[in-house]
Amino acid sequence: MFPSPAQPLYAFRENCFLICSSGESITRSRRVDFRARYNCRYVNRFIMSSKTVLFSVMIFILNSARGQKSSQNALMECPSLDKGDSYTQSEFLSRLAHECRYDRLLLPTYQTGEVVYVHASAYVYFIQPAEAHDLNFKLHFLLQLRWTDARLAYTLYSPERTKIIGESDLRQRIWVPHLYMSNEQSSSLMGTDSKDVLISIAPDGEVLFSRRMQAVLYCWMNLQKFPFDDQKCSMNLESWKYNASILRLMWEKENPVRLSSELHLTEYSLLDFWTNESVVRGDIVNMRLGGRSGNYSALKFTFKLGREVGYYLMDYFIPSMMIVAMSWVTFWLQADASAPRITLGTSTMLSFITLASSQAKTLPKVSYIKASEIWFLGCIGFIFSALVEFAFVNTIWRRKKVVSLKKVNSKYILKSTLTPRLARKELQKELRESSPQLSKSRSCSSLQQETSSDPAGPGYNNYLTVHSFPSALNLPTITTQSYDDLIASGGRQPRNNGSEGSDEPPQHHTWTQMTPQEIATWIDKRSRLLFPLLFIFFNIVYWTFVYCL
């Protein structure tokens, strides 16, 4: 069944076709040679598959030849820049930045090895310092970078073309330096339909790249003098890919940073701003620059903000002064008026704590003491001292025994009131034993009010008792006599223990007794003057520290 060497392939196929046709006719008449029909079909399939493989190989060879030819033509052919003025901007730019003559992944000076100088400037539209507990601020600005790329110079090719201007599509065709903000929390390009990016290419190859951005940057604040603090916040720009030996960042010499005339701050006032250039060190340990070591160029724009204190004066300091002054009203109430004095003291304490807590919510929880906390502690101390003073005078008021005083002054009154009861009893016993001749006299107020010697008359028990006893101390002797004694003696003046002009020391001392109610009233009267004076002194020290230190 298979063809012989002398028999052509088409003749063999024709014979097989005849055999197969005859076989089919025989099949219809049930006289078929099944073996012959099977062999004919096998030969036909073999011939068809051989032609398909041969045709596929020929197509592959043709496509390979065409691809090699087209790639060779692409490598050999580069679009001409002659008569560049006759092209549109897009056509001329596509020829100028064609891959045959421009590689956007390489530095402009990759052939010469020189340093690429990138000059930067910024225009600030808006500054929004955030709350102190966030430790950041928001900035809207226009960042402009300028460098020279000699590969894009087209003065010889298109002398009449003044400038090439494009947006994001042009940025994808040329080399642009990669900068990042090291203190960035978040940032984005501004724009509505498309991002606000603008690139212009001068005939000499100078590229001006501008982009409008908004960024939230960290600002590590020092709140020790809050709310009288000045904060310094900065925007740090650093090179990400190229170190300082390849790429150098520089601020423009004239007006590197300009502020919008409509810039207005609410809580702060802009005191000053400045720029500087530096070099940062990158190493593998701190992973600052992606784990790459070397020195990298950096730019820094710093502005100084002063906090406006008008809000805090009106909403915190002046109300707290008034609350402290309200706590002094208790000094004009009677010492045994427990209910009004306790109510007034506790209400002023709670009011001030509520006022201070509203201010503390806006501050971060730092370990050091702030100026506002010093004010808080001082005011709380004055309010608490007023409550302690009430508890002190109320305790004295409820005593029943009189107190012996050597002199009516702060030292002896406080000493006698603070002395324990047992010590006071021993002191009184010692006085009675050492001074058997005791003379009692009414107080000055009693002498003025009483005109009779009736013991039952009004004001008889309102007296000061003065005792005299011998002593060796060189102190003046004070003696008083009652109204009855003066009548009995016929108006004769009492004799002094020592002669006038004599150098002999007196032989008796005068001791005065005061009732606990008189002592409590005396302490309240002194507190009316002492507390305001101490608060004024505290204010002088505090505001001197705030503004002078």
Side-chain angles (χ1 to χ4, degrees):
M1 291 298 297
F2 292 96
S4 62
Q7 185 181 9
L9 183 63
Y10 65 88
F12 177 77
R13 183 184 178 190
E14 184 177 359
N15 293 333
C16 290
F17 176 75
L18 293 175
I19 293 172
C20 292
S21 299
S22 61
E24 290 177 358
S25 59
I26 292 172
T27 303
R28 295 188 187 99
S29 61
R30 296 179 178 268
R31 290 174 302 187
V32 60
D33 187 0
F34 295 100
R35 183 177 180 181
R37 187 179 62 175
Y38 177 78
N39 291 334
C40 288
R41 290 180 179 178
Y42 177 78
V43 172
N44 285 333
R45 290 177 182 176
F46 174 76
I47 294 172
M48 292 299 295
S49 60
S50 301
K51 291 177 63 177
T52 303
V53 172
L54 182 62
F55 181 73
S56 300
V57 171
M58 292 178 63
I59 291 176
F60 177 75
I61 294 173
L62 291 175
N63 291 335
S64 300
R66 290 176 182 177
Q68 292 178 358
K69 185 176 181 180
S70 61
S71 61
Q72 291 177 359
N73 293 334
L75 294 175
M76 295 177 60
E77 295 179 0
C78 194
S80 176
L81 294 175
D82 297 336
K83 298 180 181 181
D85 294 331
S86 61
Y87 301 112
T88 63
Q89 178 173 298
S90 299
E91 293 176 347
F92 181 74
L93 182 62
S94 63
R95 291 171 175 265
L96 182 65
H98 195 270
E99 59 182 1
C100 65
R101 60 170 58 94
Y102 190 89
D103 190 354
R104 62 182 299 269
L105 300 179
L106 297 178
L107 286 167
T109 58
Y110 76 97
Q111 294 179 345
T112 61
E114 298 178 355
V115 179
V116 179
Y117 293 94
V118 178
H119 302 266
S121 61
Y123 184 84
V124 180
Y125 300 103
F126 174 72
I127 300 176
Q128 180 186 0
E131 297 293 339
H133 62 274
D134 293 332
L135 297 178
N136 59 21
F137 67 99
K138 182 182 290 186
L139 192 66
H140 292 184
F141 62 99
L142 174 70
L143 180 62
Q144 194 172 77
L145 304 177
R146 179 176 61 86
W147 68 93
T148 301
D149 193 344
R151 298 173 296 177
L152 299 176
Y154 56 88
T155 305
L156 300 178
Y157 308 109
S158 182
E160 297 182 2
R161 195 180 302 273
T162 58
K163 189 176 293 186
I164 299 176
I165 300 177
E167 296 183 359
S168 300
D169 55 346
L170 181 56
R171 186 198 182 285
Q172 302 299 327
R173 296 186 178 185
I174 65 175
W175 177 86
V176 175
H178 186 180
L179 307 182
Y180 80 103
M181 290 177 282
S182 60
N183 60 333
E184 171 191 353
Q185 181 178 352
S186 63
S187 66
S188 61
L189 291 174
M190 301 178 65
T192 53
D193 296 337
S194 60
K195 301 302 181 181
D196 297 340
V197 176
L198 183 64
I199 298 179
S200 64
I201 303 175
D204 59 349
E206 185 181 70
V207 182
L208 193 63
F209 175 46
S210 304
R211 54 183 175 180
R212 205 161 64 97
M213 303 180 62
Q214 61 179 359
V216 179
L217 306 176
Y218 288 108
C219 180
W220 309 115
M221 300 181 181
N222 185 2
L223 301 172
Q224 288 184 346
K225 295 184 67 176
F226 176 87
F228 309 95
D229 53 333
D230 297 334
Q231 302 298 336
K232 295 179 182 179
C233 300
S234 60
M235 178 183 68
N236 303 327
L237 289 172
E238 299 179 9
S239 174
W240 174 255
K241 184 177 180 180
Y242 303 103
N243 56 32
S245 62
I246 302 175
L247 186 141
R248 184 70 58 85
L249 299 177
M250 302 175 64
W251 287 109
E252 295 284 0
K253 294 183 179 180
E254 296 182 0
N255 298 325
V257 177
R258 288 164 289 178
L259 303 179
S260 174
S261 59
E262 300 178 355
L263 180 63
H264 179 69
L265 302 178
T266 54
E267 188 178 352
Y268 292 86
S269 60
L270 185 61
L271 303 178
D272 194 10
F273 65 94
W274 60 91
T275 59
N276 58 354
E277 304 169 3
S278 62
V279 176
V280 296
R281 176 69 179 175
D283 52 37
I284 302 176
V285 177
N286 57 23
M287 301 293 290
R288 178 183 178 89
L289 294 164
R292 292 176 290 109
S293 60
N295 298 325
Y296 293 83
S297 183
L299 299 177
K300 190 174 185 179
F301 161 53
T302 307
F303 50 92
K304 185 178 181 181
L305 299 175
R307 196 184 301 273
E308 296 288 350
V309 298
Y311 166 78
Y312 296 95
L313 288 176
M314 298 301 298
D315 284 20
Y316 180 61
F317 286 97
I318 294 179
S320 60
M321 292 179 185
M322 297 177 65
I323 291 175
V324 172
M326 285 176 59
S327 66
W328 302 337
V329 177
T330 59
F331 303 146
W332 274 265
L333 300 178
Q334 197 168 347
D336 62 341
S338 301
R341 295 190 71 161
I342 291 176
T343 303
L344 185 60
T346 54
S347 61
T348 53
M349 175 73 76
L350 295 176
S351 299
F352 182 74
I353 292 176
T354 303
L355 178 66
S357 62
S358 63
Q359 298 295 328
K361 290 180 181 179
T362 61
L363 298 177
K365 296 177 177 60
V366 294
S367 58
Y368 50 82
I369 299 178
K370 301 180 286 291
S372 60
E373 294 174 344
I374 296 176
W375 177 265
F376 170 78
L377 294 176
C379 293
I380 283 291
F382 278 98
I383 297 175
F384 183 75
S385 299
L387 284 172
V388 172
E389 191 271 347
F390 158 68
F392 181 65
V393 297
N394 185 262
T395 303
I396 296 175
W397 181 278
R398 288 185 282 106
R399 293 177 181 175
K400 297 181 179 180
K401 294 185 178 181
V402 297
V403 179
S404 300
L405 302 174
K406 190 174 184 179
K407 289 184 179 180
V408 183
N409 56 23
S410 303
K411 174 182 177 181
Y412 292 102
I413 290 177
L414 295 178
K415 183 178 179 180
S416 62
T417 54
L418 295 176
T419 303
R421 181 177 299 179
L422 181 61
R424 289 199 305 270
K425 291 182 178 179
E426 293 178 355
L427 177 61
Q428 293 175 0
K429 182 178 180 181
E430 182 180 355
L431 290 175
R432 286 193 298 268
E433 293 176 355
S434 62
S435 179
Q437 296 90 10
L438 297 175
S439 59
K440 181 186 293 185
S441 66
R442 300 182 181 89
S443 62
C444 298
S445 60
S446 300
L447 292 174
Q448 293 174 0
Q449 295 177 2
E450 185 162 352
T451 57
S452 66
S453 60
D454 185 8
Y460 182 80
N461 292 325
N462 188 15
Y463 58 84
L464 291 176
T465 304
V466 181
H467 300 280
S468 60
F469 59 93
S471 176
L473 297 176
N474 187 13
L475 296 174
T477 302
I478 301 175
T479 60
T480 60
Q481 287 183 342
S482 65
Y483 180 77
D484 298 335
D485 295 338
L486 290 174
I487 296 299
S489 60
R492 292 182 289 107
Q493 297 293 331
R495 294 180 300 171
N496 294 331
N497 293 329
S499 60
E500 186 177 357
S502 175
D503 294 333
E504 295 180 3
Q507 299 179 0
H508 299 281
H509 287 289
T510 301
W511 282 72
T512 304
Q513 287 184 343
M514 293 181 66
T515 62
Q517 292 75 19
E518 290 176 340
I519 294 177
T521 304
W522 183 91
I523 294 175
D524 275 340
K525 290 181 179 180
R526 296 304 185 273
S527 299
R528 297 171 191 173
L529 181 63
L530 180 62
F531 273 71
L533 290 178
L534 290 178
F535 190 68
I536 292 173
F537 177 75
F538 169 72
N539 275 268
I540 293 174
V541 174
Y542 180 81
W543 297 107
T544 302
F545 164 76
V546 166
Y547 285 105
C548 299
L549 298 180

